[in-house]
Amino acid sequence: MALTGRAALIAALASVPVGVWDPSWTGILAVNAPLAVACACDFALAAPVRRLGLTRSGDASARLGETADVTLTVTNPSGRPLRARLRDAWPPSSWQPGTETAASRHSLIVPAGERRRVTTRLRPTRRGNRHADRVTIRSYGPLGLLTRQGTHRVPWTVRVLPPFTSRKHLPSKLSRLRELDGRTSVLTRGEGTEFDSLREYVPGDDTRFIDWRATARHSTVAVRTWRPERDRHILLVLDTGRTSAGRVGDAPRLDAAMDAALLLAALASRAGDRVDLLAYDRRVRALLQGRTAGDVLPSLVNAMATLEPELVETDARGLAATTLRSAPRRSLIVLFTTLDAAPIEEGLLPVLPQLTQRHTVLVASVSDPHVSRMAQARGHTDAVYEAAAAAQAQSERRHIADQLRRHGVTVVDATPDDLPPALADAYLELKAAGRL
């Protein structure tokens, strides 16, 4: 039982004769019988809280940055109407800062034997699962003097998925893919691609692709055309170690890597290739294999939703061994990791030959646009020092990238906004060259 409002207390104190005042609430009620009766009746007429029935429904998932509506149904089985204030508690990251109070609190009136619904609109600020906390209900009597209050646990989980902002690039990349596949332009020819058909020779064609038997049967020179191979295997490897926790802008590097991985997965699945996912630091954090083309993207988004950077050094040998077990036959290994000198030189380079011997390896790394802005800064002493430090950092990244390229690795190093389309272009170039 809780007291509500200061007006009742002030009125009670004012009505007590001078010299008869008792400092306790009991004393006030003893000398003010009408107020005591009113409070008792008000409390008795307030609907009981413990007997209420509460159930949930609504959205079970939402992309980061979007809203999720969760509906709470309140059933009043008692014979008294429920006049209440309700707080639907969720973790702080379920709302934008400063909006939690307005979004989680509701007023409702539920007549006896009926039910009403209230909707809590979440707008999560982080990926992962958001679990509903307690529902607190304060039931008022008709006069609003006293209340009944209680809490209920009504489980519900909203999974916050990666936003996949790079999907805006997918139409242009699919258009280029169709060109490679021969649907909108001349079929590409490349070593290791699949034979498609014959066509008449035109000046500039590679003479190695002349089909002499077909030429002997016709009056014109015939050349073979090819289409990019399908059903290639692509393994997306997310390094979830400490370097993935570094923030670039408002998000960790891991989030930018996920966005690029989703665009590549969407493009590769449309190209007929099989896409798997491995997330690793010192142990496997996620492993997704054998999904169909129509199911691969939802499965990837769902698996990535709960991934978080781990503040441990990535075990490069364990990563290489797990990658080889996950890709038993020749594949394209796309490793999302850093280009920092120590993790590459001490971790990845010693085990890189194990991967490049059997697979085509592509390293995708997220660069910080702030470093580029620092490198261009001038005008005062601090800016010059910052520019020198930024130039040194950029030089080290280029050196590491050159080392990887000497081992036969394709390197894509770009800012969070530019990495997804740059990675998709690198995949299409490998496909056009017949290296998959």
Side-chain angles (χ1 to χ4, degrees), residues 47-324:
V49 175
R50 302 294 182 184
R51 295 170 54 193
L52 296 176
L54 285 84
T55 58
R56 290 191 186 273
S57 60
D59 296 331
S61 64
R63 293 193 181 276
L64 184 64
E66 298 179 354
T67 60
D69 291 339
V70 180
T71 300
L72 189 67
T73 302
V74 181
T75 303
N76 179 16
S78 70
R80 286 163 280 175
L82 173 69
R83 306 171 185 86
R85 288 281 294 169
L86 178 150
R87 179 175 182 261
D88 190 5
W90 290 76
S93 59
S94 302
W95 291 280
Q96 298 289 333
T99 64
E100 185 270 342
T101 300
S104 64
R105 286 166 170 77
H106 309 274
S107 298
L108 73 160
I109 297 176
V110 185
E114 297 187 16
R115 66 184 65 181
R116 292 292 185 270
R117 294 183 177 90
V118 294
T119 299
T120 301
R121 174 159 291 181
L122 310 179
R123 193 178 183 87
T125 58
R126 292 179 55 189
R127 288 182 296 101
N129 291 332
R130 297 293 169 268
H131 302 286
D133 201 351
R134 294 168 296 179
V135 176
T136 303
I137 300 178
R138 179 173 291 177
S139 174
Y140 291 83
L143 301 178
L145 296 177
L146 298 180
T147 65
R148 302 172 185 262
Q149 181 169 305
T151 60
H152 295 257
R153 291 196 176 274
V154 191
W156 192 263
T157 300
V158 174
R159 173 159 288 194
V160 186
L161 308 173
F164 192 15
T165 56
S166 64
R167 61 181 178 272
K168 62 187 177 184
H169 299 290
L170 188 57
S172 63
K173 303 309 174 186
L174 289 175
S175 176
R176 187 177 172 194
L177 176 65
R178 286 192 292 270
E179 292 179 3
L180 292 179
D181 206 19
R183 295 177 188 145
T184 59
S185 66
V186 176
L187 294 173
T188 58
R189 299 178 299 280
E191 184 179 353
T193 55
E194 297 177 348
F195 172 75
D196 181 71
S197 62
L198 297 171
R199 65 171 176 81
E200 185 178 348
Y201 174 86
V202 296
D205 283 340
D206 194 328
T207 56
R208 292 178 299 172
F209 299 105
I210 295 177
D211 190 318
W212 296 108
R213 291 186 179 181
T215 299
R217 294 194 300 268
H218 299 81
S219 59
T220 59
V221 179
V223 294
R224 300 185 187 94
T225 61
W226 309 81
R227 65 172 48 145
E229 293 182 2
R230 291 179 173 272
D231 196 29
R232 302 298 91 187
H233 180 226
I234 300 174
L235 179 61
L236 307 176
V237 182
L238 291 173
D239 178 359
T240 55
R242 64 170 183 83
T243 57
S244 68
R247 299 188 74 82
V248 179
D250 295 330
R253 278 188 167 90
L254 181 60
D255 286 35
M258 288 180 182
D259 198 39
L262 289 173
L263 179 63
L264 178 58
L267 180 61
S269 62
R270 298 286 187 91
D273 294 333
R274 295 180 296 107
V275 182
D276 293 340
L277 171 71
L278 169 66
Y280 190 93
D281 42 72
R282 288 189 173 274
R283 63 181 180 87
V284 175
R285 301 292 176 176
L287 181 60
L288 195 68
Q289 294 178 306
R291 294 299 190 273
T292 62
D295 187 48
V296 64
L297 198 60
S299 299
L300 284 175
V301 169
N302 193 55
M304 290 177 178
T306 56
L307 287 178
E308 294 292 343
E310 300 293 331
L311 299 182
V312 297
E313 197 70 40
T314 299
D315 177 11
R317 293 188 180 277
L319 185 147
T322 307
T323 298
L324 292 173

